Amino acid sequence: MRKISIGNGIETKQQHLLSLPNKSKKSVQNSKEMTHQINTSEARVYVGTYAKYNDGSIFGKWLTLSDYADKEEFYTACRELHDNEEDPEFMFQDYENIPNSLIGECWISDNVFEVLEALEDMDETRKEAFLIWCDNGHRKLSEEDINDLISGFDDDYIGEYKDEEDFAYEQIEQMDLPEFAKRYFDYEAFARDLFSGDYWSEDGHVFYNS
């Protein structure tokens, strides 16, 4: 993390964020974590510059990405916002509803608009599952083709369940077992076996271990 000097003190980006306008401590903390429940239509970035920040100013503005067609339009808006600097070095001091792998303090991914558009086309369950899959598989949203990622996700994703035992119960129901055998079946132990090998899960979403 880049450190910024203000006067005789040094503060990190995280300390600085606590003083951003219209931001609560709770919302700042949440924005620092990878969230799987994002509203892509409200993806936005607080855009300042390093020059202003080093001078002790957090002047900037929240820019909503859906207001722009692509990254070029977004950067044009950034330059217009800070047109009093000849060659501004933009500082993305905070962001909301954007996966962490698509943005950093001084950069934003070339395909951020493409990824957000793809996420916008997903329902909430599918979007959450997709981001969980990306996060656990260490997929790089900023580098990999979004269509290839979605294809890989579709191959791995099984569905949403109440818990791992619920998934195990469904697997047994699909087997041709006598009813009396099902009554004595240890679903908890079977679930442990399933999820120690061929499957993994998070927040109720079940995936193949590919």
Side-chain angles (χ1 to χ4, degrees):
M1 178 182 293
R2 180 170 180 171
K3 291 185 177 179
I4 310 299
S5 298
I6 297 183
N8 294 324
I10 295 178
E11 69 174 5
T12 66
K13 179 190 173 195
Q14 183 176 14
Q15 292 170 322
H16 154 72
L17 287 174
L18 298 178
S19 62
L20 278 177
N22 303 319
K23 295 291 288 180
S24 68
K25 290 185 179 180
K26 181 177 180 181
S27 63
V28 169
Q29 181 180 5
N30 289 342
S31 74
K32 297 295 292 178
E33 300 171 355
M34 173 63 182
T35 175
H36 301 134
Q37 297 178 331
I38 64 174
N39 184 347
T40 51
S41 64
E42 295 184 6
R44 62 179 191 157
V45 183
Y46 189 86
V47 183
T49 70
Y50 282 101
K52 289 183 175 68
Y53 194 67
N54 283 328
D55 286 340
S57 170
I58 61 167
F59 172 80
K61 182 180 178 181
W62 284 101
L63 299 184
T64 301
L65 295 190
S66 61
D67 291 340
Y68 311 102
D70 51 33
K71 184 178 177 180
E72 183 178 350
E73 279 195 10
F74 169 71
Y75 268 98
T76 296
C78 293
R79 286 189 289 271
E80 291 175 351
L81 175 63
H82 295 285
D83 59 3
N84 60 335
E85 294 184 35
E86 182 176 348
D87 186 20
E89 184 183 3
F90 301 120
M91 182 182 183
F92 302 137
Q93 296 170 338
D94 199 11
Y95 53 90
E96 294 179 341
N97 292 297
I98 303 173
N100 292 344
S101 58
L102 293 176
I103 190 170
E105 187 180 89
C106 59
W107 65 276
I108 190 166
S109 173
D110 289 337
N111 65 348
V112 61
F113 285 88
E114 181 182 24
V115 172
L116 291 176
E117 182 178 358
L119 294 177
E120 184 70 20
D121 291 337
M122 300 179 183
D123 62 36
E124 290 304 311
T125 298
R126 180 172 168 79
K127 183 193 305 178
E128 179 182 53
F130 176 72
L131 292 173
I132 287 172
W133 177 82
C134 287
D135 194 27
N136 281 270
H138 306 291
R139 270 74 178 188
K140 295 184 178 180
L141 282 171
S142 62
E143 298 178 11
E144 299 184 49
D145 180 81
I146 185 61
N147 294 318
D148 290 344
L149 285 171
I150 291 174
S151 178
F153 164 75
D154 287 336
D155 289 340
D156 286 354
Y157 184 51
I158 298 173
E160 185 178 24
Y161 295 83
K162 182 176 65 176
D163 50 34
E164 292 181 352
E165 193 171 329
D166 183 40
F167 174 72
Y169 180 83
E170 181 184 89
Q171 302 307 297
I172 296 302
E173 285 298 298
Q174 294 173 359
M175 298 178 184
D176 189 20
L177 294 178
E179 286 301 319
F180 79 88
K182 293 179 182 178
R183 288 199 297 270
Y184 296 102
F185 198 88
D186 190 338
Y187 292 98
E188 184 178 353
F190 184 52
R192 285 198 301 270
D193 288 343
L194 289 175
F195 288 95
S196 64
D198 294 336
Y199 306 94
W200 65 275
S201 72
E202 183 176 320
D203 294 341
H205 298 286
V206 176
F207 308 84
Y208 287 111
N209 254 331
S210 57

